[in-house]
Amino acid sequence: MLIHLTRLRPGHPPLAEIRTPYGPAVAAWRGDPAAPPGPHHVEWTIDEARATARPAPRPAPAVRTEGGLLLLTGEFDGAGVLRTGDTPILLDLPAPPGWIELAVPCAHAELHPYRT
């Protein structure tokens, strides 16, 4: 997913404030702690042991932060892939196929930057 890094909050790991095509969020940054603000390609890693899934409030991709939780809305294939827009996120969660909202504490959702 192409995100825009707004700023990094100090910590271990630092928390990244980002904007995505589907909304703003906060997640653990697993890249260079001196990364400059701006566009970055990232992959998401979710700690499934701390995540919960429920039916999505509406069938549209969304990313947001609420009360210390990262909320990802996407279409789950039932076999391990959540698609938030054009971004696949691999999960090992018991959830039926369809639109779901995944909730996970911000510090347990990680952003791994990469270069193309």
PDB file of all heavy atoms in Angstrom, residues 44-68:
ATOM      1  N   TRP A  44       1.587  -4.517   5.488  1.00  0.00           N
ATOM      2  CA  TRP A  44       1.018  -4.573   6.840  1.00  0.00           C
ATOM      3  C   TRP A  44       1.278  -5.951   7.426  1.00  0.00           C
ATOM      4  O   TRP A  44       1.146  -6.958   6.737  1.00  0.00           O
ATOM      5  CB  TRP A  44      -0.495  -4.379   6.792  1.00  0.00           C
ATOM      6  CG  TRP A  44      -0.958  -3.019   6.391  1.00  0.00           C
ATOM      7  CD1 TRP A  44      -1.160  -2.568   5.113  1.00  0.00           C
ATOM      8  CD2 TRP A  44      -1.315  -1.943   7.253  1.00  0.00           C
ATOM      9  NE1 TRP A  44      -1.613  -1.283   5.148  1.00  0.00           N
ATOM     10  CE2 TRP A  44      -1.721  -0.871   6.450  1.00  0.00           C
ATOM     11  CE3 TRP A  44      -1.326  -1.782   8.633  1.00  0.00           C
ATOM     12  CZ2 TRP A  44      -2.134   0.344   6.973  1.00  0.00           C
ATOM     13  CZ3 TRP A  44      -1.739  -0.574   9.154  1.00  0.00           C
ATOM     14  CH2 TRP A  44      -2.136   0.475   8.331  1.00  0.00           C
ATOM     15  N   THR A  45       1.596  -5.995   8.721  1.00  0.00           N
ATOM     16  CA  THR A  45       1.627  -7.242   9.489  1.00  0.00           C
ATOM     17  C   THR A  45       0.746  -7.024  10.704  1.00  0.00           C
ATOM     18  O   THR A  45       0.896  -6.035  11.416  1.00  0.00           O
ATOM     19  CB  THR A  45       3.056  -7.600   9.944  1.00  0.00           C
ATOM     20  OG1 THR A  45       3.879  -7.751   8.790  1.00  0.00           O
ATOM     21  CG2 THR A  45       3.069  -8.888  10.735  1.00  0.00           C
ATOM     22  N   ILE A  46      -0.184  -7.948  10.921  1.00  0.00           N
ATOM     23  CA  ILE A  46      -1.143  -7.848  12.023  1.00  0.00           C
ATOM     24  C   ILE A  46      -0.883  -8.970  13.017  1.00  0.00           C
ATOM     25  O   ILE A  46      -0.732 -10.123  12.616  1.00  0.00           O
ATOM     26  CB  ILE A  46      -2.596  -7.964  11.492  1.00  0.00           C
ATOM     27  CG1 ILE A  46      -2.876  -6.919  10.402  1.00  0.00           C
ATOM     28  CG2 ILE A  46      -3.607  -7.897  12.620  1.00  0.00           C
ATOM     29  CD1 ILE A  46      -2.776  -5.489  10.847  1.00  0.00           C
ATOM     30  N   ASP A  47      -0.844  -8.644  14.304  1.00  0.00           N
ATOM     31  CA  ASP A  47      -0.737  -9.650  15.357  1.00  0.00           C
ATOM     32  C   ASP A  47      -2.132 -10.255  15.539  1.00  0.00           C
ATOM     33  O   ASP A  47      -2.985  -9.691  16.217  1.00  0.00           O
ATOM     34  CB  ASP A  47      -0.243  -9.002  16.648  1.00  0.00           C
ATOM     35  CG  ASP A  47      -0.073  -9.989  17.790  1.00  0.00           C
ATOM     36  OD1 ASP A  47      -0.510 -11.155  17.661  1.00  0.00           O
ATOM     37  OD2 ASP A  47       0.489  -9.581  18.822  1.00  0.00           O
ATOM     38  N   GLU A  48      -2.355 -11.390  14.894  1.00  0.00           N
ATOM     39  CA  GLU A  48      -3.686 -12.003  14.903  1.00  0.00           C
ATOM     40  C   GLU A  48      -4.167 -12.371  16.299  1.00  0.00           C
ATOM     41  O   GLU A  48      -5.360 -12.400  16.560  1.00  0.00           O
ATOM     42  CB  GLU A  48      -3.727 -13.245  14.007  1.00  0.00           C
ATOM     43  CG  GLU A  48      -3.657 -12.928  12.540  1.00  0.00           C
ATOM     44  CD  GLU A  48      -2.360 -13.414  11.921  1.00  0.00           C
ATOM     45  OE1 GLU A  48      -1.409 -13.728  12.661  1.00  0.00           O
ATOM     46  OE2 GLU A  48      -2.307 -13.472  10.678  1.00  0.00           O
ATOM     47  N   ALA A  49      -3.235 -12.655  17.222  1.00  0.00           N
ATOM     48  CA  ALA A  49      -3.624 -13.021  18.587  1.00  0.00           C
ATOM     49  C   ALA A  49      -4.308 -11.854  19.307  1.00  0.00           C
ATOM     50  O   ALA A  49      -5.042 -12.059  20.265  1.00  0.00           O
ATOM     51  CB  ALA A  49      -2.406 -13.476  19.381  1.00  0.00           C
ATOM     52  N   ARG A  50      -4.075 -10.646  18.848  1.00  0.00           N
ATOM     53  CA  ARG A  50      -4.674  -9.461  19.469  1.00  0.00           C
ATOM     54  C   ARG A  50      -5.758  -8.828  18.610  1.00  0.00           C
ATOM     55  O   ARG A  50      -6.269  -7.764  18.939  1.00  0.00           O
ATOM     56  CB  ARG A  50      -3.592  -8.443  19.771  1.00  0.00           C
ATOM     57  CG  ARG A  50      -2.573  -8.978  20.760  1.00  0.00           C
ATOM     58  CD  ARG A  50      -1.636  -7.887  21.176  1.00  0.00           C
ATOM     59  NE  ARG A  50      -0.653  -8.374  22.114  1.00  0.00           N
ATOM     60  CZ  ARG A  50      -0.745  -8.204  23.422  1.00  0.00           C
ATOM     61  NH1 ARG A  50      -1.754  -7.581  23.948  1.00  0.00           N
ATOM     62  NH2 ARG A  50       0.205  -8.674  24.203  1.00  0.00           N
ATOM     63  N   ALA A  51      -6.079  -9.452  17.507  1.00  0.00           N
ATOM     64  CA  ALA A  51      -7.053  -8.891  16.573  1.00  0.00           C
ATOM     65  C   ALA A  51      -8.418  -9.553  16.727  1.00  0.00           C
ATOM     66  O   ALA A  51      -8.511 -10.715  17.104  1.00  0.00           O
ATOM     67  CB  ALA A  51      -6.561  -9.072  15.137  1.00  0.00           C
ATOM     68  N   THR A  52      -9.440  -8.783  16.429  1.00  0.00           N
ATOM     69  CA  THR A  52     -10.795  -9.320  16.375  1.00  0.00           C
ATOM     70  C   THR A  52     -11.418  -8.900  15.049  1.00  0.00           C
ATOM     71  O   THR A  52     -11.091  -7.843  14.505  1.00  0.00           O
ATOM     72  CB  THR A  52     -11.676  -8.808  17.530  1.00  0.00           C
ATOM     73  OG1 THR A  52     -11.726  -7.380  17.482  1.00  0.00           O
ATOM     74  CG2 THR A  52     -11.128  -9.258  18.870  1.00  0.00           C
ATOM     75  N   ALA A  53     -12.295  -9.745  14.550  1.00  0.00           N
ATOM     76  CA  ALA A  53     -12.981  -9.455  13.291  1.00  0.00           C
ATOM     77  C   ALA A  53     -14.483  -9.492  13.531  1.00  0.00           C
ATOM     78  O   ALA A  53     -14.970 -10.314  14.310  1.00  0.00           O
ATOM     79  CB  ALA A  53     -12.592 -10.479  12.229  1.00  0.00           C
ATOM     80  N   ARG A  54     -15.162  -8.590  12.861  1.00  0.00           N
ATOM     81  CA  ARG A  54     -16.634  -8.555  12.920  1.00  0.00           C
ATOM     82  C   ARG A  54     -17.140  -8.114  11.552  1.00  0.00           C
ATOM     83  O   ARG A  54     -16.372  -7.574  10.737  1.00  0.00           O
ATOM     84  CB  ARG A  54     -17.096  -7.622  14.021  1.00  0.00           C
ATOM     85  CG  ARG A  54     -16.698  -6.179  13.803  1.00  0.00           C
ATOM     86  CD  ARG A  54     -17.173  -5.302  14.934  1.00  0.00           C
ATOM     87  NE  ARG A  54     -16.725  -3.944  14.717  1.00  0.00           N
ATOM     88  CZ  ARG A  54     -16.386  -3.116  15.669  1.00  0.00           C
ATOM     89  NH1 ARG A  54     -16.439  -3.492  16.932  1.00  0.00           N
ATOM     90  NH2 ARG A  54     -16.015  -1.887  15.390  1.00  0.00           N
ATOM     91  N   PRO A  55     -18.415  -8.308  11.279  1.00  0.00           N
ATOM     92  CA  PRO A  55     -18.941  -7.833   9.999  1.00  0.00           C
ATOM     93  C   PRO A  55     -18.719  -6.318   9.858  1.00  0.00           C
ATOM     94  O   PRO A  55     -18.852  -5.567  10.822  1.00  0.00           O
ATOM     95  CB  PRO A  55     -20.430  -8.160  10.076  1.00  0.00           C
ATOM     96  CG  PRO A  55     -20.511  -9.289  11.062  1.00  0.00           C
ATOM     97  CD  PRO A  55     -19.417  -9.025  12.062  1.00  0.00           C
ATOM     98  N   ALA A  56     -18.373  -5.898   8.668  1.00  0.00           N
ATOM     99  CA  ALA A  56     -18.106  -4.476   8.408  1.00  0.00           C
ATOM    100  C   ALA A  56     -19.404  -3.678   8.434  1.00  0.00           C
ATOM    101  O   ALA A  56     -20.452  -4.176   8.017  1.00  0.00           O
ATOM    102  CB  ALA A  56     -17.428  -4.304   7.062  1.00  0.00           C
ATOM    103  N   PRO A  57     -19.330  -2.428   8.924  1.00  0.00           N
ATOM    104  CA  PRO A  57     -20.528  -1.592   8.942  1.00  0.00           C
ATOM    105  C   PRO A  57     -21.017  -1.235   7.541  1.00  0.00           C
ATOM    106  O   PRO A  57     -22.194  -0.950   7.346  1.00  0.00           O
ATOM    107  CB  PRO A  57     -20.102  -0.340   9.717  1.00  0.00           C
ATOM    108  CG  PRO A  57     -18.614  -0.336   9.697  1.00  0.00           C
ATOM    109  CD  PRO A  57     -18.179  -1.762   9.503  1.00  0.00           C
ATOM    110  N   ARG A  58     -20.107  -1.238   6.551  1.00  0.00           N
ATOM    111  CA  ARG A  58     -20.495  -0.987   5.155  1.00  0.00           C
ATOM    112  C   ARG A  58     -19.464  -1.648   4.238  1.00  0.00           C
ATOM    113  O   ARG A  58     -18.296  -1.790   4.611  1.00  0.00           O
ATOM    114  CB  ARG A  58     -20.634   0.501   4.870  1.00  0.00           C
ATOM    115  CG  ARG A  58     -19.409   1.312   5.108  1.00  0.00           C
ATOM    116  CD  ARG A  58     -19.721   2.816   5.098  1.00  0.00           C
ATOM    117  NE  ARG A  58     -18.746   3.560   5.826  1.00  0.00           N
ATOM    118  CZ  ARG A  58     -18.668   3.680   7.143  1.00  0.00           C
ATOM    119  NH1 ARG A  58     -19.523   3.071   7.903  1.00  0.00           N
ATOM    120  NH2 ARG A  58     -17.736   4.380   7.713  1.00  0.00           N
ATOM    121  N   PRO A  59     -19.868  -2.030   3.053  1.00  0.00           N
ATOM    122  CA  PRO A  59     -18.966  -2.737   2.137  1.00  0.00           C
ATOM    123  C   PRO A  59     -18.080  -1.774   1.342  1.00  0.00           C
ATOM    124  O   PRO A  59     -18.266  -1.579   0.148  1.00  0.00           O
ATOM    125  CB  PRO A  59     -19.919  -3.508   1.234  1.00  0.00           C
ATOM    126  CG  PRO A  59     -21.135  -2.658   1.191  1.00  0.00           C
ATOM    127  CD  PRO A  59     -21.235  -2.000   2.543  1.00  0.00           C
ATOM    128  N   ALA A  60     -17.118  -1.183   2.031  1.00  0.00           N
ATOM    129  CA  ALA A  60     -16.169  -0.290   1.370  1.00  0.00           C
ATOM    130  C   ALA A  60     -14.857  -0.336   2.141  1.00  0.00           C
ATOM    131  O   ALA A  60     -14.873  -0.426   3.370  1.00  0.00           O
ATOM    132  CB  ALA A  60     -16.719   1.133   1.346  1.00  0.00           C
ATOM    133  N   PRO A  61     -13.725  -0.275   1.442  1.00  0.00           N
ATOM    134  CA  PRO A  61     -12.451  -0.283   2.157  1.00  0.00           C
ATOM    135  C   PRO A  61     -12.326   0.955   3.038  1.00  0.00           C
ATOM    136  O   PRO A  61     -12.749   2.043   2.658  1.00  0.00           O
ATOM    137  CB  PRO A  61     -11.401  -0.289   1.052  1.00  0.00           C
ATOM    138  CG  PRO A  61     -12.101   0.027  -0.210  1.00  0.00           C
ATOM    139  CD  PRO A  61     -13.551  -0.170   0.002  1.00  0.00           C
ATOM    140  N   ALA A  62     -11.745   0.762   4.220  1.00  0.00           N
ATOM    141  CA  ALA A  62     -11.534   1.878   5.144  1.00  0.00           C
ATOM    142  C   ALA A  62     -10.374   1.563   6.074  1.00  0.00           C
ATOM    143  O   ALA A  62     -10.122   0.407   6.403  1.00  0.00           O
ATOM    144  CB  ALA A  62     -12.801   2.150   5.950  1.00  0.00           C
ATOM    145  N   VAL A  63      -9.678   2.615   6.485  1.00  0.00           N
ATOM    146  CA  VAL A  63      -8.597   2.525   7.463  1.00  0.00           C
ATOM    147  C   VAL A  63      -8.808   3.693   8.414  1.00  0.00           C
ATOM    148  O   VAL A  63      -8.975   4.830   7.977  1.00  0.00           O
ATOM    149  CB  VAL A  63      -7.202   2.641   6.794  1.00  0.00           C
ATOM    150  CG1 VAL A  63      -6.100   2.618   7.827  1.00  0.00           C
ATOM    151  CG2 VAL A  63      -7.000   1.535   5.770  1.00  0.00           C
ATOM    152  N   ARG A  64      -8.801   3.400   9.726  1.00  0.00           N
ATOM    153  CA  ARG A  64      -8.947   4.484  10.697  1.00  0.00           C
ATOM    154  C   ARG A  64      -8.430   4.024  12.057  1.00  0.00           C
ATOM    155  O   ARG A  64      -8.223   2.835  12.284  1.00  0.00           O
ATOM    156  CB  ARG A  64     -10.375   4.982  10.781  1.00  0.00           C
ATOM    157  CG  ARG A  64     -11.359   4.051  11.415  1.00  0.00           C
ATOM    158  CD  ARG A  64     -12.777   4.666  11.378  1.00  0.00           C
ATOM    159  NE  ARG A  64     -13.684   4.004  12.254  1.00  0.00           N
ATOM    160  CZ  ARG A  64     -14.261   2.836  12.055  1.00  0.00           C
ATOM    161  NH1 ARG A  64     -13.991   2.166  10.952  1.00  0.00           N
ATOM    162  NH2 ARG A  64     -15.092   2.323  12.932  1.00  0.00           N
ATOM    163  N   THR A  65      -8.222   5.002  12.932  1.00  0.00           N
ATOM    164  CA  THR A  65      -7.803   4.730  14.294  1.00  0.00           C
ATOM    165  C   THR A  65      -8.866   5.279  15.222  1.00  0.00           C
ATOM    166  O   THR A  65      -9.356   6.385  15.015  1.00  0.00           O
ATOM    167  CB  THR A  65      -6.447   5.399  14.591  1.00  0.00           C
ATOM    168  OG1 THR A  65      -5.492   4.911  13.645  1.00  0.00           O
ATOM    169  CG2 THR A  65      -5.963   5.080  15.981  1.00  0.00           C
ATOM    170  N   GLU A  66      -9.219   4.473  16.220  1.00  0.00           N
ATOM    171  CA  GLU A  66     -10.267   4.868  17.162  1.00  0.00           C
ATOM    172  C   GLU A  66      -9.939   4.280  18.526  1.00  0.00           C
ATOM    173  O   GLU A  66      -9.846   3.059  18.665  1.00  0.00           O
ATOM    174  CB  GLU A  66     -11.603   4.337  16.641  1.00  0.00           C
ATOM    175  CG  GLU A  66     -12.814   4.841  17.338  1.00  0.00           C
ATOM    176  CD  GLU A  66     -14.072   4.336  16.637  1.00  0.00           C
ATOM    177  OE1 GLU A  66     -14.350   4.797  15.513  1.00  0.00           O
ATOM    178  OE2 GLU A  66     -14.735   3.456  17.213  1.00  0.00           O
ATOM    179  N   GLY A  67      -9.764   5.142  19.528  1.00  0.00           N
ATOM    180  CA  GLY A  67      -9.524   4.663  20.891  1.00  0.00           C
ATOM    181  C   GLY A  67      -8.341   3.732  21.037  1.00  0.00           C
ATOM    182  O   GLY A  67      -8.418   2.740  21.755  1.00  0.00           O
ATOM    183  N   GLY A  68      -7.242   3.988  20.355  1.00  0.00           N
ATOM    184  CA  GLY A  68      -6.056   3.136  20.455  1.00  0.00           C
ATOM    185  C   GLY A  68      -6.098   1.890  19.591  1.00  0.00           C
ATOM    186  O   GLY A  68      -5.188   1.071  19.638  1.00  0.00           O
TER     187      GLY A  68
END
